[in-house]
Amino acid sequence: MPAGRPAEALLAELRELRAGDAPTRGGRTFAYVYDAGLPEADELAAAAYGVFATVNGLDPTVFPSVARLENDVVGAVNSVLGAPGAQGSFTSGGTESILLAVKTARDHARAVRGVTRPQLVLPSTAHAAFHKAAHYLGLETVVVPVDPVTFRADAAAVADALTDRTVLVVASAPSYAHGVMDPVTEIAAAAAARGVLCHVDACIGGWFLPFLSRMGRTVEPFGLSVPGVTSVSVDLHKYGYADKGASVVLYRDAELRRHQYFAHADWPGYPVVNPTVQGTKSGGLLAQAWAVLHHLGHDGYTELARQVARAADLVLAGLRATDGVRVLGEPAGSLVAFTVTGADGAGDLGRTLRVADEMRERGWYLQPQLSHDGLPPNLHLTLTPATGDQVETLLADLAESVAAARASEPVTVDPALAELAATLDPDALTPEEVAGVLAFAGLGGGRGLPSRTAPVLMLLDALPSRLKERLLTEYIGTLFRV
């Protein structure tokens, strides 16, 4: 390591690196970020983090402030989404909350029902974090197709997929991919009838939909008050507008939550009890989430929900009035997915991806989502309060982008290449072979994505899922090399 450097020089370098990222404020990045449009909330979060940055959340008996803050945050979430007797934990994000809910279900089923080969039943639109949890924890996933028109889970099909090995059923409120609500009440009832736990993934909607309801919009019930729902996850770093990462997982009671915990005393060190996946963790993330929650309050969140709803109304009206654009399903509130259609009215992958590139050239990031099992390719929008002032410009640029995409040469994949790719065994490819495929796709050499990604994504869409996963894994690996 070289000699130490002045603080200002280091901060200047960090600012320069940050300038190359997508903007997190201003309403032009429609994935990954949640902008309340309130600079004072951002400043409060940073200051609160600083107060607790050196506090170790590992042991609340040494740092009792951690337990006080966590009880307050979980209690605030429980007052909105929970039920009498519900208990929960503060986590680093939706993935950890989901992983813990899956672990809890696995261990509960083993202890109560003697299940040793656990299955996780989930709609095809359930978040990938459930597959990650199943992979880590040794569960078999049973994926149920969703309705191809509404994109909602089919409750009857989910019920039919339940077996004596099922330990957990999943519903989304709403699903990330299309922003539509699953029929939580029906899915939870089917799970309860078989004595199976039911988790509602409300990571993205859990702290938005209740306040949408508070302002008078109709919202389908999805929390622990719904009979049969046994756990819920909600991210406070989404529509709670706290900094990353802040999430809560709630359970119907402390007895169920007990299966989430890990304890180990059979070693010569201190007795270990970890409520969540992490051991050592900064108290700063908890403190900033607590501060933002109390700063905004229910009235503040209701007003922010009103701003998002207004933006969503305008965006949906504009999209539906744009020739060659089709909104997918009936969005529940803040997430919108749309596809650019071909002459037959079906989603056109090439044109949809071209629109994403055109919009990026105009300063917008719309998240491309590839086709899957008969579901159309689309562009995903996560709307926030900061979107409101941008809608008119967004729609104007979108109309131009759609026109440009239609006028450009179609994006195609060599059929022979697609046929060859289908014969490749992802697990048998050598590193050299993978590097060759990545280079052909324009992803070689450790470089970032090209400025226009339509050709790359078009090729990925044509590949089998396992090959796609292998290539993407290797590509990300090239970005993290010293």
Side-chain angles (χ1 to χ4, degrees), residues 184-265:
V184 172
T185 300
E186 292 89 340
I187 290 174
R194 293 292 297 265
V196 173
L197 302 184
C198 176
H199 181 81
V200 175
D201 173 16
C203 286
I204 201 157
W207 211 244
F208 170 74
L209 294 174
F211 299 102
L212 191 66
S213 175
R214 196 170 185 258
M215 58 168 275
R217 299 286 182 100
T218 300
V219 175
E220 297 176 28
F222 64 90
L224 286 175
S225 62
V226 176
V229 173
T230 53
S231 58
V232 178
S233 52
V234 53
D235 287 357
L236 299 178
H237 60 218
K238 291 187 169 75
Y239 289 100
Y241 304 108
D243 286 342
K244 312 280 186 185
S247 180
V248 167
V249 56
L250 279 179
Y251 300 96
R252 68 183 178 202
D253 54 40
E255 175 59 23
L256 184 56
R257 183 187 61 174
R258 178 176 63 81
H259 295 282
Q260 171 188 291
Y261 285 27
F262 171 82
H264 189 76

Side-chain angles (χ1 to χ4, degrees), residues 47-357:
Y49 183 94
V51 174
F52 272 75
T54 59
V55 171
N56 190 344
L58 172 65
D59 192 341
T61 66
V62 177
F63 300 100
S65 61
V66 170
R68 163 68 189 278
L69 290 178
E70 178 159 339
N71 286 337
D72 205 354
V73 169
V74 173
V77 174
N78 188 39
S79 70
V80 173
L81 293 174
Q87 299 294 330
S89 297
F90 181 84
T91 77
S92 64
T95 295
E96 186 180 7
S97 289
I98 286 168
L99 190 148
L100 290 169
V102 173
K103 177 197 180 296
T104 298
R106 182 197 67 178
D107 292 359
H108 175 269
R110 182 165 50 204
V112 175
R113 294 164 45 208
V115 178
T116 58
R117 294 188 299 132
Q119 290 179 328
L120 171 64
V121 173
L122 64 167
S124 63
T125 50
H127 198 279
F130 289 98
H131 294 273
K132 182 177 184 179
H135 176 73
Y136 281 2
L137 298 171
L139 283 80
E140 176 188 345
T141 55
V142 179
V143 179
V144 181
V146 299
D147 186 287
V149 176
T150 67
F151 305 96
R152 284 163 59 93
D154 183 332
V158 169
D160 289 343
L162 303 181
T163 72
D164 291 339
R165 294 170 53 200
T166 306
V167 302
L168 186 66
V169 176
V170 175
S172 301
S175 64
Y176 181 86
H178 306 108
V180 302
M181 292 285 287
D182 283 339
V184 172
T185 300
E186 292 89 340
I187 290 174
R194 293 292 297 265
V196 173
L197 302 184
C198 176
H199 181 81
V200 175
D201 173 16
C203 286
I204 201 157
W207 211 244
F208 170 74
L209 294 174
F211 299 102
L212 191 66
S213 175
R214 196 170 185 258
M215 58 168 275
R217 299 286 182 100
T218 300
V219 175
E220 297 176 28
F222 64 90
L224 286 175
S225 62
V226 176
V229 173
T230 53
S231 58
V232 178
S233 52
V234 53
D235 287 357
L236 299 178
H237 60 218
K238 291 187 169 75
Y239 289 100
Y241 304 108
D243 286 342
K244 312 280 186 185
S247 180
V248 167
V249 56
L250 279 179
Y251 300 96
R252 68 183 178 202
D253 54 40
E255 175 59 23
L256 184 56
R257 183 187 61 174
R258 178 176 63 81
H259 295 282
Q260 171 188 291
Y261 285 27
F262 171 82
H264 189 76
D266 190 17
W267 76 305
Y270 64 95
V272 171
V273 180
N274 295 145
T276 60
V277 175
Q278 297 183 90
T280 291
K281 52 190 175 184
S282 171
L285 289 171
L286 174 60
Q288 60 88 24
W290 176 89
V292 173
L293 276 178
H294 283 278
H295 175 63
L296 294 176
H298 283 196
D299 289 344
Y301 283 115
T302 302
E303 174 55 30
L304 291 170
R306 190 186 316 278
Q307 294 175 28
V308 174
R310 179 178 177 276
D313 290 344
L314 294 172
V315 167
L316 286 169
L319 289 173
R320 287 168 174 152
T322 302
D323 184 47
V325 166
R326 176 163 59 92
V327 175
L328 303 184
E330 289 296 329
S334 62
L335 306 183
V336 175
F338 69 92
T339 191
V340 180
T341 60
D344 59 356
D348 185 307
L349 175 64
R351 285 173 173 163
T352 299
L353 297 177
R354 285 280 198 201
V355 168
D357 284 344

Side-chain angles (χ1 to χ4, degrees), residues 7-29:
E8 262 316 308
L10 295 170
L11 291 172
E13 184 171 343
L14 288 174
R15 294 186 190 103
E16 183 179 353
L17 287 170
R18 180 68 185 85
D21 294 339
T24 60
R25 295 295 180 262
R28 282 180 166 260
T29 302

Side-chain angles (χ1 to χ4, degrees), residues 388-401:
D389 294 337
Q390 300 279 1
V391 172
E392 186 176 344
T393 306
L394 168 71
L395 293 173
D397 284 348
L398 180 64
E400 289 183 4
S401 296

